[in-house]
Amino acid sequence: QVQLVESGGGLVQAGGSLRLSCAASGSISSINEMGWYRQAPGKQRELVATITNGGRTNYADSVKGRFTISRDNAKNTVYLQMNSLKPEDTAVYYCNGAYTIRTVRLSDYWGQGTQVTVSS
């Protein structure tokens, strides 16, 4: 099993920045992709950004140019640097670890979530 623990959420004003962290432990070899998803009240969980073991990244159109996902393999940690935050970014952010083959998701692990609130 894989355990994922998020940190770094909080309250920030529009235009500000936050850096989320997700520390992974357990059977790290069980995943080949990590990412961030978010869920706002009344909405379904949506993809924010992903990064593969090889460093390939993918972003939702709504965050391109503002958010950056990165990894520190020595610490088994993935980060999400969020700049130019907007009120629309307010959501619970979840760290995800997955084993995928192309677009097929075979394994899925989730953190507990961390709240990000952006005020205007």
Side-chain angles (χ1 to χ4, degrees):
Q1 290 289 99
V2 174
Q3 294 80 46
L4 304 172
V5 180
E6 304 103 327
S7 62
L11 174 65
V12 66
Q13 292 213 277
S17 299
L18 283 174
R19 185 177 178 86
L20 305 183
S21 299
C22 174
S25 61
S27 300
I28 306 302
S29 62
S30 297
I31 61 176
N32 63 1
E33 177 182 282
M34 297 188 70
W36 291 93
Y37 292 70
R38 66 188 182 186
Q39 186 169 23
K43 301 183 67 176
Q44 291 195 313
R45 191 172 300 184
E46 64 178 357
L47 181 148
V48 177
T50 60
I51 185 167
T52 67
N53 285 355
R56 178 179 173 272
T57 59
N58 184 49
Y59 297 91
D61 288 341
S62 60
V63 306
K64 285 181 179 177
R66 299 189 297 122
F67 292 9
T68 302
I69 189 170
S70 61
R71 300 183 70 170
D72 185 336
N73 291 329
K75 297 181 179 180
N76 293 321
T77 300
V78 63
Y79 304 94
L80 184 68
Q81 179 66 47
M82 305 185 293
N83 298 326
S84 302
L85 283 162
K86 305 174 181 179
E88 305 91 90
D89 296 318
T90 295
V92 177
Y93 283 69
Y94 295 91
C95 182
N96 170 259
Y99 189 88
T100 63
I101 300 177
R102 296 178 181 173
T103 61
V104 179
R105 187 179 298 270
L106 302 178
S107 301
D108 216 10
Y109 304 94
W110 295 95
Q112 79 285 355
T114 185
Q115 177 71 47
V116 172
T117 302
V118 184
S119 64
S120 58

